Amino acid sequence: MEFDRQILESSLHLERKHPYLRFSLHIFDSLPSTNQTVWDLLKQGAEPGCVVIATQQTAGRGQWGRQWLSPTGGLYLSVAIASQLEVTNSYQLTLASAWGIASKLRKCGISVGIKWPNDLVLEGCKLGGILTETKVHKGEITQAVIGVGINWRNAVPETGINLKSWQANQNSQGIFGLEMLTAAVLLGIESGLECLHHEGISILLSHYLDLLTNLGDQVYVNNLLGTVIGVTPQGNLRLKMAEDDSKELIKTEISVEPGTISLGYSKTSV
Ligand code: BTN
């Protein structure tokens, strides 16, 4: 499948005077994993802002060591960034990217929300996901690769949705093609990281919470029912637990790390 570099370049406004990220584009037909190719290019001296795009992946990587199925028709991209965050704050890169991408897509009329911690959701179904990988030295992140997969016109599993069909059902066309979607995602990552860097995690987190679809959801942790009330600056899910100590109902707050519980999807696609 053809990917039109010129359409992408003009949608990205590469001639911007003071970009937060200086994108350099590497476009491939097929790769094992765009994240892996960015790491390889960084080893060969590539700079932050190095972007790898593939029209398909044969060994796409998902969260928690899962595979990310990557047939043609989907968006698969990764970008290298420099970071001076402490490793304990590494999830901030994912929160910033998720918010940045979701808010860019919303400006195109697509009602995307965020499912904690790293999923982009549309109508309760998974539209895409983010995988951030880091290199750490003495407790600090020195390099990071942010990888994004979004369902454009590829087939999706039961809990997924693709953007092209959704737009067709809505009779809307905020995003015209894969190249425009790619530009929105890259500019979204850039704006999320810029917000984190210039305005700090408290402001970024308040934006992220505005788009979080899980607030108020009820989940069980160790057989106790909790209600989602927010996310910590480290990316943990904040829950208010109802504990019955047989005399009175005490409400305590706990937080759980990404990967320890799964929130599920509210809908399955038809
Ligand atoms: C998730 O599990 O939700 C995150 C999936 C991230 C997949 C993307 S596709 C482009 C980039 N390259 C990879 O190998 N993975 C990420």
Side-chain angles (χ1 to χ4, degrees):
M1 211 204 63
E2 281 285 294
F3 189 97
D4 193 320
R5 185 188 185 99
Q6 270 183 345
I7 300 180
L8 173 59
E9 284 182 346
S10 61
S11 317
L12 273 177
H13 315 296
L14 288 177
E15 72 288 352
R16 293 168 302 159
K17 282 236 169 64
H18 301 290
Y20 184 72
L21 283 176
R22 204 167 284 284
F23 295 125
S24 69
L25 305 174
H26 304 258
I27 301 169
F28 298 83
D29 276 340
S30 180
L31 286 176
S33 155
T34 53
N35 269 33
Q36 186 53 52
T37 301
V38 172
W39 285 120
D40 295 344
L41 291 172
L42 284 171
K43 264 194 217 135
Q44 295 160 28
E47 302 276 332
C50 165
V51 173
V52 170
I53 297 160
T55 49
Q56 64 171 345
Q57 299 182 118
T58 52
R61 308 206 278 246
Q63 286 272 329
W64 334 122
R66 292 191 196 124
Q67 195 192 355
W68 184 260
L69 290 177
S70 312
T72 54
L75 166 68
Y76 313 107
L77 73 77
S78 303
V79 56
I81 60 154
S83 152
Q84 288 164 346
L85 284 177
E86 286 179 22
V87 65
T88 45
N89 291 328
S90 59
Y91 247 90
Q92 292 178 4
L93 298 174
T94 302
L95 304 184
S97 303
W99 169 72
I101 297 167
S103 58
K104 272 280 179 288
L105 293 177
R106 289 172 77 87
K107 285 191 183 127
C108 299
I110 301 152
S111 45
V112 176
I114 300 169
K115 175 175 154 309
W116 177 79
N118 66 315
D119 284 357
L120 299 165
V121 290
L122 188 56
E123 309 232 334
C125 299
K126 182 155 177 163
L127 176 69
I130 299 166
L131 174 68
T132 304
E133 297 175 332
T134 53
K135 284 248 174 334
V136 177
H137 181 69
K138 294 189 175 159
E140 258 197 17
I141 298 168
T142 51
Q143 286 178 318
V145 173
I146 296 170
V148 182
I150 295 199
N151 301 316
W152 168 241
R153 57 170 190 81
N154 53 298
V156 293
E158 224 193 350
T159 51
I161 189 166
N162 84 38
L163 188 52
K164 200 162 192 278
S165 315
W166 181 83
Q167 289 193 142
N169 284 338
Q170 304 284 311
N171 238 336
S172 76
Q173 215 191 18
I175 296 277
F176 301 118
L178 198 50
E179 294 82 359
M180 188 177 171
L181 178 61
T182 305
V185 167
L186 286 172
L187 294 172
I189 294 172
E190 179 182 52
S191 78
L193 295 175
E194 197 168 8
C195 173
L196 176 64
H197 190 199
H198 288 140
E199 302 188 55
I201 185 60
S202 304
I203 301 277
L204 188 270
L205 203 50
S206 73
H207 294 324
Y208 176 92
L209 293 176
D210 284 343
L211 301 187
L212 190 69
T213 55
N214 308 108
L215 289 176
D217 282 2
Q218 302 231 295
V219 279
Y220 279 97
V221 181
N222 300 331
N223 291 325
L224 284 175
L225 190 61
T227 306
V228 175
I229 55 166
V231 173
T232 70
Q234 282 71 40
N236 295 355
L237 192 69
R238 293 175 55 211
L239 295 164
K240 184 80 95 190
M241 308 301 294
E243 277 177 44
D244 187 356
D245 82 341
S246 73
K247 287 193 201 96
E248 56 182 326
L249 203 65
I250 311 165
K251 292 221 164 170
T252 49
E253 185 181 324
I254 64 162
S255 76
V256 291
E257 287 181 15
T260 48
I261 60 166
S262 168
L263 296 177
Y265 291 91
S266 55
K267 285 200 193 151
T268 51
S269 53
V270 283

